[in-house]
Amino acid sequence: MKIKNICCIGAGYVGGPTMAVIAHKCPDIKVTIVDLNKQRIADWNDENLDNLPVYEPGLADVVASARGRNLFFSTDVEKAIEEAEMIFISVNTPTKTYGLGKGQAADLKYIELCARQIAAVAKNDKIVVEKSTLPVRTAQAIKDILENTGNGVKFEILSNPEFLAEGTAVEDLMHPDRVLIGGDTDEDGQKAIQALVDVYANWIPKEKILTTNVWSSELSKLTANAFLAQRVSSINAMSELCEKTGADVTEVARAIGMDSRIGPKFLKASVGFGGSCFQKDILNLVYIAKSYGLTEVADYWEQVIIMNDHQKRRFASNIVKTLYNTVSGKKIAFLGWAFKKDTNDTRESAAIYVANDLLNEQAEIAVYDPKVEDDTIYADLNYLGSRSAEDNTKGVKTFTDPYEACNDAHAIAVLTEWDEFKDYDWQKIYENMKKPAFVFDGRNLLDGKKMNEIGFIYQEIGK
Ligand code: UDX
Ligand code: ADP
């Protein structure tokens, strides 16, 4: 079966870039991305490519190459489902904030809604592809809904987890390490797998396209993220020990990374990992393990989160301690709010938690981030719910000029590793700060020697 028409439900950080690249690479396939959020769709259709709702290096060019040719953004979910032979589900699956599994399980209400909508609309056989990260065995739930509420048409469910990292999404999609497709082991399942393999084969070498059963595919996604997050928590655990012993975590990371069995990636000590995936997926893994009674397995993975929470907290408490045990009324400038560079995404960003701790200590926070909008910063803090929206607005001011953000500050905290921070006129920033001028580099981004020479009291993670 040759796919000619694809629909993707959910025009977010995953659905948007993924479908844009498919459309770019497969001009013969019509790709329609739909979303309930009208503003999001309007932004994807905006003539001015600077206004796309997702910031990713290279994304605007890819969208420009295909939009209006074979790439369409629409709010007409039903029409797109009806026309498509293959439907990707890329809706969000946040951690549940209520009821059973609160704080750990994934909230599948958006997925279920999609499944019901597909079932109601489909008039011919469809291949449904899980793109969002989902707990193992979600495919079964989708299948149940489709088969029991549908119009008697046949559905094949595939799992095709996304491994792109934000900030490098386009590059990751163009040249992935591998593409994983899970499906039923019966003949129809294998045919559906082949249909999706053929789509990717338009630009990805066959040997990089891996096929498995559905459950392996679903669990591989959680496992990959758990392993990656574990590396970050492991090096962050060592960073605290380095600070006590006089070892330098960057040197330790370099020394162990040269062991080919360990490898050099994901060993950067930081203020803590963020993003929409790591915490959510591990919590999910923990929840699944617990639900099978596997307490040790659950505790083992939960420790990765505990370590990460500790790292964020100790970064904030170190600022307070270093500033003579009080930050009350002191201006602390935040450079960066996004959870990593080259994205405007702030979900689970360490900056949110550090800000929250410092606000509890009555600090005045000044935030500059090159890509994050003010509204997002306040929404992040309000979502935490530690204080009223009014108090968040009082305690946090946002700036479009980094130099202004740093004026009269007692300290600067580097929360995101944006490249531009390295090129600032640090001498000028120093002159306009309160003295002694502190810099807490949560990303080990700046040149420590230079910072000390200027006169800053400069602290890094794990040194
Ligand atoms: C991750 C996975 O990498 C990706 O494959 C999956 O599909 C989604 O989750 P993402 O969350 O976009 O991607 O970013 P990633 O590059 O993995 O970084 C996650 C967090 O870890 C960031 O906050 C980053 O700053 C932090 N990190 C990463 C470190 O602190 N140190 C490192 O060495 C690497
Ligand atoms: P991700 O990082 O997984 O892409 P996002 O939150 O960026 O997550 O994107 C998910 C998108 O899915 C949102 O834009 C949301 O409006 C959309 N969405 C959620 N449920 C539905 C639905 N039933 N139909 C259409 N779009 C949906």
Side-chain angles (χ1 to χ4, degrees), residues 34 69 73 120 162 197 229 242 283 299 356 359 396 403 431:
V34 292
R69 176 189 74 182
F73 297 90
E162 191 46 75
V197 168
C242 287
L283 287 174
D299 290 351
N356 188 53
L359 286 171
V396 179
Y403 293 90
E431 279 158 18

Side-chain angles (χ1 to χ4, degrees), residues 30-49:
K30 180 182 175 189
V31 180
T32 308
I33 313 182
V34 292
D35 203 296
L36 295 173
N37 184 333
K38 290 197 174 74
Q39 186 58 48
R40 238 192 187 172
I41 292 299
D43 291 344
W44 280 113
N45 281 322
D46 201 313
E47 296 259 323
N48 181 352
L49 291 162

